[in-house]
Amino acid sequence: MKSKPGTVELAHGAGGRATAELVAALFARHFDNDWLARGDDGAVLPAPAPGERLVMATDSHVVAPLFFPGGDIGCLAVHGTVNDVAVMGARPLWLSAAFILEEGLPFADLERIVASMAAAAHAAGVPIVTGDTKVVERGKGDGVFITTTGVGALPPGRELGGARARPGDAVLVSGTLGDHGMAIMREREGLNFTAPIVSDTAALHGLVEAALATGADIRVLRDPTRGGLGTTLNEIASQAGVGILIEERQLPITAAVAAACELLGLDPLYVANEGKLVLICAEADAERVLAALRAHPLGRQAARIGQVLEDARHFVQMRTALGGRRIVDWLSGDQLPRIC
Amino acid sequence: MKSKPGTVELAHGAGGRATAELVAALFARHFDNDWLARGDDGAVLPAPAPGERLVMATDSHVVAPLFFPGGDIGCLAVHGTVNDVAVMGARPLWLSAAFILEEGLPFADLERIVASMAAAAHAAGVPIVTGDTKVVERGKGDGVFITTTGVGALPPGRELGGARARPGDAVLVSGTLGDHGMAIMREREGLNFTAPIVSDTAALHGLVEAALATGADIRVLRDPTRGGLGTTLNEIASQAGVGILIEERQLPITAAVAAACELLGLDPLYVANEGKLVLICAEADAERVLAALRAHPLGRQAARIGQVLEDARHFVQMRTALGGRRIVDWLSGDQLPRIC
């Protein structure tokens, strides 16, 4: 098949002149840093400060469509991995980015995505220091997939992790739930008659630092992405060997997301977020942490939504708006494929 | 479309129960280490030794077919990134692995791939400490794509890089050229009547350490993967602002690879290797380095193939077997798509 001008060709992934030109004209130009400019097989980076440990996290991004209200696969790929590093308590330092392009992808789309990644990385202060580009034949990919890996530095003594939740702890979220997932679904399903929904995709390391700076005993930080709040809480309950009880009335959900969920028969508890934190801390520190979250631009609608319980079954439960209790089980189907 | 039993479904990428089960039953079991077992969003890792810098490298692997003589996409994904870290002069420490699975991929294939990755990581002594799994719909991917990112530690004072090649330096390769690419092509084209060719996929950090342990002034290390030796030498010539002259008679190429290349009209200079080093060192050290390479199981057929020249045009040239000279240009087409 002859390629159209202005689109990605198999030669761009062959490692020869076309690959070198693509890297120079697009990736190195937008990501613009000395590590990439060196053109070696990897980046040489300074060591973290004495006593700091490293944190490493990776995510492949396959979201469809590539562009959506509030963002695109490019900024999402930066935010997603910055957040995975940040919720470990670490300061995100560097990102790598590996692209799998489908033959025929318009360069204009690719450039828009790369520019968005560059802007997100710049805003987050986390440079993209090394990368890779592969091209697959038409019909063997879907536009572009982006895998980012992040490395960060974890200060001495900072210990966070799902296993640290304890009975009595408070459960907080940093804002409204389900915005990212429903922004994608609304776009995909063409629900133009419902109110607009904008993805919450954002880098959360500043918000994380604001919470940690309170000195509170924060046990767990998570970003409830794929699978949403319900899945994240089940993971934590299982890791820590505890139960969790949340209050439906306390869950911050916008009217637009609630309406779109109802229309599509989706439960907002399982809808992905890309700019929200779940935070579990000692009960005594909860108000202080909540105040710190609300003082940050990304946490204005933070809420206390529940507590950790002793429960040998490791159930996540919800007290409903009507006062009953229901189990919030693991998501068991493919509610929202390719949401991130 | 209803999924067949024993195959990957979209639910395996939705982040819920099916994803958790897949991770536990397959990835955590095979990769078996404490970091993965913790089940957090990333891995917390010890800092490198004082004075050491970090090296970070990433590669997406999209090789087709998934299984080939001498290896598969799993071990290739480990070797490729271990080698990118090693050729920076660093000791590879940790890998991340992100999978993009196509709906319908047989679990048996996935398990074979994951087991091969695990074996390769174990043999290399580089654990896979964090990962991600996404699933795309049938016809939006191609079985499995694997992106690995590696982090390594670079000892103080060790400086390698394409820009360090100097006129007069010797150019060495660690063994025969083109084995990986022609193993793939032979499989893809069904050339059963020609002699078998086995991929050279291997982790090279031991060979790199053997070369560096000589104390020689090694300027550049590279693994000539996609685009082959010809492309790698052009990259170095361009980075260092030099010319390079290689000797056709000195190039180690097996009879099987030479025959298959001739049959398919391919130039072995541009065919991918996945277990070979290009090494540029001070002329005075060349024999010592060559001896060290040959003493290692992965370097027995190492050869000195040329030298670095002053050349303002940054040409790579080859003295042919007949005594003439020809330009070895950048690979300009898509000679071998999806070779790694």
Side-chain angles (χ1 to χ4, degrees):
Chain A
M1 195 180 304
K2 199 69 197 129
S3 62
K4 284 191 298 189
T7 65
V8 170
E9 302 173 27
L10 287 173
H12 290 111
R17 190 189 293 278
T19 306
E21 286 172 354
L22 181 67
V23 169
L26 196 63
F27 298 113
R29 183 164 66 81
H30 281 282
F31 297 154
D32 187 28
N33 62 63
D34 289 346
W35 293 287
L36 271 184
R38 282 187 54 166
D40 285 323
D41 283 335
V44 176
L45 305 161
E52 289 188 326
R53 291 153 295 166
L54 294 177
V55 163
M56 187 175 185
T58 195
D59 256 331
S60 285
H61 296 83
V62 300
V63 66
L66 298 174
F67 303 96
F68 48 82
D72 55 68
I73 192 172
C75 65
L76 186 69
V78 169
H79 296 152
T81 294
V82 162
N83 293 348
D84 279 347
V85 172
V87 296
M88 302 295 294
R91 197 171 69 255
L93 295 173
W94 305 292
L95 288 174
S96 65
F99 294 80
I100 299 174
L101 309 177
E102 185 190 9
E103 182 189 17
L105 175 71
F107 275 126
D109 286 354
L110 182 58
E111 176 144 30
R112 194 174 148 199
I113 290 163
V114 170
S116 168
M117 285 188 84
H122 186 259
V126 186
I128 296 166
V129 296
T130 190
D132 183 48
T133 311
K134 295 291 192 308
V135 180
V136 296
E137 305 89 334
R138 220 176 286 262
K140 301 292 186 183
D142 195 16
V144 51
F145 302 145
I146 306 176
T147 302
T148 45
T149 305
V151 169
L154 185 64
R158 193 175 281 178
E159 297 294 344
L160 297 165
R164 295 191 68 248
R166 299 181 206 167
D169 285 353
V171 180
L172 281 56
V173 295
S174 65
T176 56
L177 299 171
D179 301 77
H180 175 73
M182 293 319 294
I184 300 287
M185 288 309 287
R186 186 176 177 278
E187 193 77 4
R188 229 188 255 169
E189 305 288 327
L191 303 183
N192 299 323
F193 51 92
T194 64
I197 304 174
V198 175
S199 168
D200 59 344
T201 183
L204 293 170
H205 54 319
L207 185 63
V208 166
E209 281 304 323
L212 290 166
T214 60
D217 190 355
I218 296 176
R219 326 264 205 211
V220 188
L221 286 171
R222 278 290 162 81
D223 56 332
T225 56
R226 265 191 306 182
L229 178 69
T231 301
T232 298
L233 293 181
N234 270 287
E235 286 170 3
I236 296 168
S238 158
Q239 283 179 280
V242 297
I244 295 176
L245 176 64
I246 59 174
E247 308 285 339
E248 188 170 23
R249 283 179 190 277
Q250 306 303 324
L251 298 177
I253 298 173
T254 67
V257 166
C261 277
E262 199 165 312
L263 201 67
L264 294 174
L266 296 170
D267 185 337
L269 282 176
Y270 298 107
V271 177
N273 311 278
E274 292 289 344
K276 295 294 153 40
L277 286 180
V278 173
L279 186 152
I280 297 183
C281 67
E283 168 61 32
D285 292 331
E287 288 306 316
R288 181 157 52 125
V289 173
L290 194 57
L293 292 175
R294 286 182 174 159
H296 189 281
L298 293 175
R300 287 205 193 97
Q301 292 174 273
R304 191 166 162 167
I305 61 163
Q307 59 178 315
V308 179
L309 305 175
E310 271 191 67
D311 182 348
R313 302 157 306 174
H314 313 161
F315 280 169
V316 177
Q317 300 180 69
M318 181 164 76
R319 187 155 23 223
T320 66
L322 299 174
R325 279 199 189 192
R326 77 164 172 96
I327 301 287
V328 178
D329 203 357
W330 288 84
L331 172 67
S332 63
D334 52 340
Q335 194 185 16
L336 299 174
R338 299 189 57 191
I339 212 74
C340 60
Chain B
M1 194 181 302
K2 200 67 199 125
S3 61
K4 284 191 298 186
T7 65
V8 170
E9 301 173 27
L10 287 173
H12 289 111
R17 191 189 292 277
T19 306
E21 286 171 354
L22 180 66
V23 169
L26 195 63
F27 298 113
R29 184 164 65 82
H30 281 283
F31 296 154
D32 187 28
N33 61 65
D34 290 345
W35 293 285
L36 271 184
R38 283 187 54 166
D40 286 320
D41 282 335
V44 176
L45 305 162
E52 288 188 327
R53 292 153 294 167
L54 293 176
V55 163
M56 187 175 184
T58 194
D59 257 330
S60 285
H61 296 83
V62 299
V63 65
L66 298 173
F67 303 96
F68 48 81
D72 55 68
I73 190 171
C75 66
L76 186 68
V78 169
H79 296 152
T81 295
V82 162
N83 293 348
D84 279 346
V85 171
V87 295
M88 302 294 294
R91 198 169 71 254
L93 294 174
W94 306 293
L95 289 175
S96 65
F99 294 80
I100 299 174
L101 309 177
E102 185 190 10
E103 181 189 17
L105 175 71
F107 275 126
D109 286 355
L110 182 58
E111 176 144 28
R112 192 174 150 200
I113 289 164
V114 170
S116 168
M117 284 187 86
H122 186 261
V126 185
I128 295 167
V129 296
T130 191
D132 182 49
T133 312
K134 295 291 192 305
V135 180
V136 296
E137 305 90 334
R138 222 177 284 264
K140 302 290 186 182
D142 195 15
V144 52
F145 302 144
I146 306 176
T147 302
T148 46
T149 305
V151 169
L154 184 64
R158 193 176 281 178
E159 298 294 344
L160 296 165
R164 295 191 68 248
R166 301 181 205 168
D169 284 353
V171 180
L172 280 58
V173 294
S174 65
T176 56
L177 298 171
D179 301 78
H180 175 73
M182 293 319 294
I184 301 286
M185 289 308 288
R186 185 175 177 279
E187 193 76 3
R188 230 188 252 170
E189 305 286 327
L191 304 183
N192 299 322
F193 50 92
T194 64
I197 304 174
V198 175
S199 167
D200 58 345
T201 185
L204 293 170
H205 54 318
L207 185 63
V208 166
E209 282 304 323
L212 289 166
T214 60
D217 189 354
I218 296 177
R219 327 266 205 208
V220 188
L221 286 171
R222 278 291 162 81
D223 56 333
T225 56
R226 263 191 308 181
L229 178 69
T231 301
T232 298
L233 293 181
N234 270 286
E235 286 170 4
I236 295 168
S238 159
Q239 284 179 280
V242 297
I244 295 176
L245 176 65
I246 58 174
E247 308 283 339
E248 187 170 23
R249 283 178 190 278
Q250 306 303 323
L251 298 178
I253 297 173
T254 67
V257 165
C261 277
E262 198 164 312
L263 200 66
L264 295 174
L266 296 171
D267 184 338
L269 282 176
Y270 297 106
V271 177
N273 311 277
E274 293 288 344
K276 295 293 154 42
L277 286 179
V278 173
L279 186 154
I280 296 183
C281 67
E283 168 62 32
D285 292 331
E287 287 306 316
R288 182 157 53 124
V289 173
L290 194 58
L293 292 175
R294 286 181 174 159
H296 190 282
L298 293 175
R300 286 206 194 96
Q301 292 174 276
R304 189 168 164 166
I305 61 163
Q307 59 179 315
V308 179
L309 307 175
E310 270 191 68
D311 182 348
R313 303 157 304 175
H314 314 160
F315 280 169
V316 176
Q317 300 180 70
M318 181 164 76
R319 184 150 33 219
T320 66
L322 299 174
R325 278 200 189 191
R326 77 163 172 97
I327 300 287
V328 178
D329 202 357
W330 288 84
L331 172 66
S332 63
D334 52 338
Q335 194 184 19
L336 299 174
R338 300 187 58 188
I339 213 72
C340 62

